[in-house]
């Protein structure tokens, strides 16, 4: 895993010291709030509904065990004993005091972490597949490239005041697990004639104007990546609108100018700057790649694991739901669900973080990942160790066997925390999970992605949920719109709005009507909700939601 | 056509702690919505907001929030303001935590 160079170390320490000075000047009155606000946002510090919130970057979702322990320490020392993992592979602390934040930033720097560029109109944390480096189906580990982009984009002088925030995601697998086409730039590692390169998408994004990213280049040679990215962001920096915040994202720039005009401008800029990249970046990439060398996997017999599958139904159910194929047959990728029924999606207590760190250290070569679906991933576990790992997770309340099921819900913090929210999302997620467990339909329903946002900004990715829920404020009352048929996978699809919204206490019954219709209409158990939706179209589901009367009207 | 002024309180977040505060009739800050000054006159409201904006070393982002008279003092009207008097719904944190101390 990547370890800071002396340059990284000095830079992060310097930024920590600068931020301490900025906080002191704000408290002394030397800086006004208007002056301080952009400075604190550059360091991930928001002021939310009830408190400040610190958003800490987990670059490309990769964490070491000692880093996870430090997050637990921060949660206990300066917060309320827990942290919230987000869809952008960050962690948010919901209760820091302004006066404590400089100490928190120092504590992060002690384990090579920071909160730089987790907010503001800059290039944000580069996200990737949580299974990177471990997945059986990937062409290459995307994390070295993500780290190269991190180094290039951090404090990049040209890109500190973009028209709007800028998000890049990268996947090394054709089975996109990083929602790359819902990002400003999406990169897919591909191979052509034995050469590795990138398929480049641009202009994707959710929010109030959801758009699926369009292909800008079918194949970009590996060595051209940074100049090409620089050309894209430069083109956007000049062409992007600054007159209207809601039209400032690159998706609008691409949409208004057309993909062809945007491509032409990008290619022209690329041709201009390409010669100035003389290969230093590629030399750096090779050094970074060496640091992402795979662990020395220890071979282990799988008989004990197979025996446990036979005799322990609890273990079997967890293994069937939460494991993914590893590149080695005697290892597995474990997704640890942070979606226990009735709990807050994405939250982990300090104690749970320590258990995860210990498991990673003892069994998992010290590695952890945060998924964009707000779960924790142990990317490299020997199958032989899984029964012991499962037992340990069980004791920590971390063995919920629901990955990919109804209760594995993405939910933004919503109006329980967020100053921008128009309605709550967390309690909707909690009630959906507990209700469907109570009526015993979760396993029967099978694979399903429900995503909930508490405002139009769509942090909860509701547009790409098989069922999306959007909380709004309708005349001073919480109201929830339902979208159907979205998909975050390789065939990224924006869901369509089903119809009029529902009051807070009508949401769970509404979702139940949709899902009972699915159970009645599916071809067989093997046909998932989204497959049935694609086959049947929205009509039967709308009818289940609103009744025939409305269709006729 | 000017709309009829509805009663308000001045609210903000505390600069250091970040938590929700309300302005009292005496011009000080309280954590308790019921102790806030209920402002029933628009011009007075503007003046109170200006007074709050003049304290950037104490509070951040002051604004006028709708309120109504209640048995024990002003009460919030909009659900967002109700949540701000309480805290999140998923944990007993925020003001609801302090309430039983």
């Amino acid at each position: 895993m990547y370890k800071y160079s002396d340059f990284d170390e000095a830079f992060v320490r310097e930024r920590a010291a600068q931020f301490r000075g900025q906080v002191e000047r704000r408290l002394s009155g030397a800086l006004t709030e208007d002056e301080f606000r952009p400075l604190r946002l550059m360091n991930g510090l928001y002021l939310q509904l009830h408190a400040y919130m610190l958003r800490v970057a987990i670059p490309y979702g990769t964490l070491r065990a000692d880093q996870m322990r430090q997050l637990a320490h921060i949660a206990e020392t300066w917060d309320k004993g827990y942290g919230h993992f987000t869809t952008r592979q960050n962690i948010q602390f919901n209760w820091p005091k302004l006066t404590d934040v400089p100490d928190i930033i120092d504590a992060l720097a002690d384990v090579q972490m920071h909160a730089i560029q987790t907010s503001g109109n800059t290039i944000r944390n580069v996200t990737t597949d949580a299974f990177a480096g471990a997945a059986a189906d990937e062409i290459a580990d995307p994390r070295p490239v993500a780290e190269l982009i991190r180094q290039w984009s951090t404090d990049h002088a040209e890109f500190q005041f973009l028209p709007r925030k800028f998000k890049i995601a990268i996947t090394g697998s054709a089975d996109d697990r990083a929602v790359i086409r819902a990002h400003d730039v999406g990169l897919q590692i591909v191979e052509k004639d034995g050469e590795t390169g990138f398929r480049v998408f641009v202009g994707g994004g959710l929010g109030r104007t959801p758009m699926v990213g369009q292909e800008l280049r079918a194949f970009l040679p590996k060595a051209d990546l940074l100049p090409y990215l620089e050309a894209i962001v430069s083109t956007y920096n000049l062409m992007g609108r600054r007159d209207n915040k809601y039209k400032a994202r690159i998706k609008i720039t691409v949409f208004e100018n057309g993909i062809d005009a945007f491509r032409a401008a990008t290619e022209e800029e690329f041709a201009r700057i390409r010669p100035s990249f003389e290969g230093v970046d590629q030399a750096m990439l090779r050094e970074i790649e060496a640091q992402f060398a795979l662990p020395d996997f220890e071979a282990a017999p799988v008989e004990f694991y197979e025996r446990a599958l036979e005799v322990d139904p609890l273990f079997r159910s967890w293994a069937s739901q939460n494991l993914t194929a590893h590149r080695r047959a005697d290892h597995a990728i474990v997704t640890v669900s942070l979606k226990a029924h009735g709990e807050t999606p994405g939250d982990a207590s300090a104690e749970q973080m320590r258990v995860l760190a210990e498991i990673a250290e003892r069994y998992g070569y010290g590695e952890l990942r945060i998924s964009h679906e707000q779960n924790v991933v142990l990317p490299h576990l020997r199958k032989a160790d899984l029964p012991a790992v499962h037992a340990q997770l069980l004791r920590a309340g971390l063995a919920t066997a629901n990955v990919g099921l109804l209760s594995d819900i993405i939910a933004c913090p919503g109006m329980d925390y967020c100053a921008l929210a128009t309605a709550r999302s967390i309690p909707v997620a909690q009630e959906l999970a507990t209700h469907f467990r109570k009526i015993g339909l979760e396993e029967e329903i099978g694979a399903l992605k429900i995503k909930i946002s508490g405002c139009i900004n769509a942090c909860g990715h509701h547009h790409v949920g098989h069922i999306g829920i959007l909380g709004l404020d309708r005349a001073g009352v919480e109201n929830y719109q339902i979208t159907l048929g979205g998909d975050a996978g390789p065939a990224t699809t924006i869901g369509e709005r089903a119809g009029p919204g529902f009051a807070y206490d009508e949401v769970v019954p509404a979702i139940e009507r949709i899902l009972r219709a699915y159970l009645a209409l599916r071809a067989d158990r093997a046909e998932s909700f989204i497959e049935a939706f694609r086959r049947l179209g929205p009509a039967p589901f709308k009818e289940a939601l609103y009744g025939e009367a409305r269709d006729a009207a | 056509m000017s709309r009829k002024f509805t009663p308000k309180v001045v609210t903000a977040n505390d600069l250091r702690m970040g938590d929700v505060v309300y302005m009292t009739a005496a011009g000080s800050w309280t954590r308790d919505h019921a102790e806030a000054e209920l402002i029933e006159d628009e011009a007075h409201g503007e003046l109170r907001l200006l007074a709050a904006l003049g304290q950037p070393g104490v509070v951040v982002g002051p604004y006028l929030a709708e309120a109504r008279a209640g048995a024990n003092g002003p009460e919030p009207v909009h659900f967002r303001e109700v949540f701000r008097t309480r805290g999140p719904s998923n944990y007993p944190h925020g003001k609801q935590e302090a309430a039983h101390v």
Side-chain angles (χ1 to χ4, degrees):
Chain A
M1 288 163 70
Y2 185 73
K3 291 231 168 174
Y4 275 12
S5 64
D6 292 346
F7 177 86
D8 294 321
E9 175 73 22
F11 173 72
V12 166
R13 291 288 178 189
E14 189 190 348
R15 281 288 293 257
Q18 281 172 357
F19 188 63
R20 182 176 291 278
Q22 288 158 1
V23 170
E24 279 166 10
R25 293 202 294 286
R26 175 67 183 97
L27 292 172
S28 77
L31 286 175
T32 66
E33 184 61 21
D34 283 348
E35 288 163 336
F36 179 62
R37 192 170 172 274
L39 299 173
R40 69 167 155 81
L41 289 177
M42 281 292 187
N43 291 283
L45 186 64
Y46 286 75
L47 183 53
Q48 295 286 50
L49 221 49
H50 313 292
Y52 286 97
M53 179 273 280
L54 182 67
R55 180 184 293 155
V56 175
I58 299 171
Y60 33 90
T62 296
L63 271 180
R64 302 190 307 256
D66 65 307
Q67 293 173 322
M68 185 65 114
R69 274 204 189 93
Q70 188 77 332
L71 294 176
H73 169 71
I74 289 169
E76 272 178 350
T77 309
W78 294 291
D79 209 87
K80 290 188 187 289
Y82 73 100
H84 175 73
F85 292 104
T86 77
T87 57
R88 299 222 73 256
Q89 301 182 306
N90 296 308
I91 182 169
Q92 295 182 171
F93 293 108
N94 285 322
W95 302 96
K97 300 181 186 98
L98 177 60
T99 43
D100 287 338
V101 174
D103 291 341
I104 301 176
I105 301 271
D106 281 345
L108 289 168
D110 288 345
V111 291
Q112 309 193 326
M113 293 182 78
H114 62 77
I116 297 164
Q117 289 182 210
T118 60
S119 178
N121 295 334
T122 58
I123 298 176
R124 304 282 189 90
N125 186 26
V126 180
T127 53
T128 189
D129 179 4
F131 301 160
D137 64 358
E138 78 182 3
I139 290 174
D141 185 346
R143 292 174 304 153
V145 172
E147 171 59 26
L148 182 71
I149 297 172
R150 184 193 72 80
Q151 296 192 14
W152 160 80
S153 63
T154 299
D155 224 19
H156 192 302
E158 190 180 337
F159 304 142
Q160 293 303 296
F161 296 93
L162 293 170
R164 207 63 186 90
K165 57 189 168 183
F166 201 91
K167 300 175 182 176
I168 301 173
I170 174 167
T171 175
S173 157
D175 184 14
D176 176 14
R177 289 176 291 257
V179 214
I180 61 167
R181 294 183 74 184
H183 283 76
D184 296 288
V185 165
L187 299 170
Q188 180 190 348
I189 300 178
V190 289
E191 265 176 346
K192 191 179 136 193
D193 306 327
E195 189 193 349
T196 304
F198 304 93
R199 190 176 174 203
V200 182
F201 295 95
V202 71
L206 301 175
R208 69 181 60 219
T209 320
M211 289 188 189
V212 176
Q214 301 183 65
E215 188 181 275
L216 193 62
R217 264 276 196 122
F219 186 83
L220 180 76
K222 190 178 172 186
D224 287 347
L225 180 67
L226 284 193
Y228 199 74
L229 276 181
E230 192 151 307
I232 293 172
V233 187
S234 292
T235 302
Y236 161 61
N237 208 7
L238 286 173
M239 211 186 255
R241 288 178 59 171
R242 291 167 195 268
D243 61 318
N244 182 340
K245 185 181 171 185
Y246 303 118
K247 296 189 187 294
R249 294 289 289 269
I250 195 173
K251 62 188 171 188
I252 305 293
T253 315
V254 172
F255 177 75
E256 287 186 345
N257 294 280
I259 184 77
D260 293 329
F262 188 84
R263 183 184 294 114
T266 298
E267 293 288 347
E268 190 184 337
E269 175 67 3
F270 172 65
R272 192 182 71 80
I273 63 173
R274 179 68 186 88
S276 64
F277 283 74
E278 293 171 340
V280 177
D281 58 322
Q282 292 305 299
M284 286 173 71
L285 179 58
R286 280 189 291 278
E287 281 173 31
I288 295 167
E289 278 168 344
Q291 297 203 44
F292 282 93
L294 291 173
D296 289 328
F297 291 120
E298 294 163 31
V302 297
E303 287 75 18
F304 178 59
Y305 160 74
E306 282 165 358
R307 178 95 184 97
L309 284 180
E310 278 169 30
V311 300
D312 181 351
L314 207 58
F315 177 70
R316 184 166 60 239
S317 131
W318 175 79
S320 71
Q321 213 58 52
N322 294 32
L323 301 189
T324 304
H326 192 271
R327 55 200 298 151
R328 281 177 62 106
D330 58 354
H331 279 59
I333 303 170
V334 170
T335 301
V336 177
S337 168
L338 296 183
K339 315 288 176 64
H341 298 84
E343 299 295 328
T344 304
D347 279 12
S349 69
E351 191 46 41
Q352 289 176 325
M353 291 183 213
R354 288 205 181 91
V355 168
L356 289 163
E358 191 193 317
I359 293 173
E361 215 153 56
R362 188 158 166 203
Y363 302 106
Y365 310 93
E367 282 197 38
L368 295 142
R369 307 286 173 72
I370 306 306
S371 80
H372 85 271
E373 290 183 306
Q374 300 179 282
N375 291 314
V376 174
V377 170
L378 294 156
H380 312 293
L381 292 181
R382 288 173 294 268
K383 283 182 177 169
D385 293 328
L386 290 179
V389 168
H390 178 250
Q392 204 170 339
L393 290 173
L394 207 54
R395 284 193 296 274
L398 288 169
T400 311
N402 64 344
V403 170
L405 297 179
L406 182 149
S407 57
D408 186 7
I409 297 171
I410 289 183
C412 73
M415 204 183 270
D416 287 306
Y417 297 91
C418 180
L420 299 174
T422 44
R424 288 170 295 171
S425 27
I426 290 169
V428 176
Q430 291 172 311
E431 283 170 30
L432 279 169
T434 48
H435 175 74
F436 280 90
R437 186 176 62 167
K438 198 173 82 191
I439 63 173
L441 280 185
E442 182 165 26
E443 277 76 27
E444 182 67 26
I445 290 164
L448 178 67
K449 293 196 186 289
I450 297 181
K451 302 180 196 282
I452 310 174
S453 303
C455 84
I456 193 80
N457 293 311
C459 296
H461 293 189
H462 66 278
H463 296 295
V464 291
H466 299 160
I467 298 176
I469 300 171
L470 166 63
L472 295 169
D473 173 352
R474 284 278 177 265
V477 181
E478 286 169 297
N479 187 274
Y480 294 84
Q481 280 181 4
I482 292 175
T483 56
L484 296 171
D487 188 8
T492 310
T493 310
I494 305 293
E496 56 180 283
R497 206 181 127 189
F502 294 88
Y504 178 82
D505 55 6
E506 293 170 356
V507 177
V508 173
I511 303 297
E512 185 176 340
R513 290 201 295 282
I514 297 170
L515 291 171
R516 286 198 184 273
Y518 154 67
L519 291 175
L521 293 165
R522 69 183 176 187
D524 53 42
R525 272 190 78 112
E527 187 180 50
S528 68
F529 171 81
I530 190 66
E531 287 162 351
F533 180 88
R534 287 189 194 125
R535 176 172 61 85
L536 297 161
F541 301 100
K542 285 189 187 177
E543 192 183 306
L545 263 181
Y546 300 107
E548 282 178 58
R550 192 179 291 273
D551 286 352
Chain B
M1 286 270 290
S2 63
R3 252 200 242 163
K4 188 177 177 298
F5 181 77
T6 50
K8 304 274 191 303
V9 296
V10 173
T11 181
N13 289 74
D14 182 84
L15 170 65
R16 285 157 192 272
M17 305 291 285
D19 61 340
V20 175
V21 291
Y22 306 95
M23 194 180 235
T24 66
S28 60
W29 295 94
T30 173
R31 261 78 189 168
D32 184 353
H33 193 286
E35 289 173 6
E37 176 187 14
L38 188 68
I39 299 163
E40 306 198 63
D41 173 79
E42 188 164 8
H44 183 59
E46 294 300 317
L47 285 175
R48 298 307 278 165
L49 182 59
L50 278 175
L53 286 164
Q55 299 180 51
V58 184
V59 296
V60 182
Y63 63 95
L64 290 162
E66 224 171 296
R68 63 180 156 234
N72 302 310
E75 291 171 355
V77 172
H78 193 277
F79 64 88
R80 184 178 193 268
E81 294 304 323
V82 174
F83 295 152
R84 287 179 82 242
T85 66
R86 216 160 51 197
S89 51
N90 60 333
Y91 299 114
H93 292 153
K95 290 195 186 300
Q96 59 202 344
E97 182 178 35
H100 57 77
V101 172

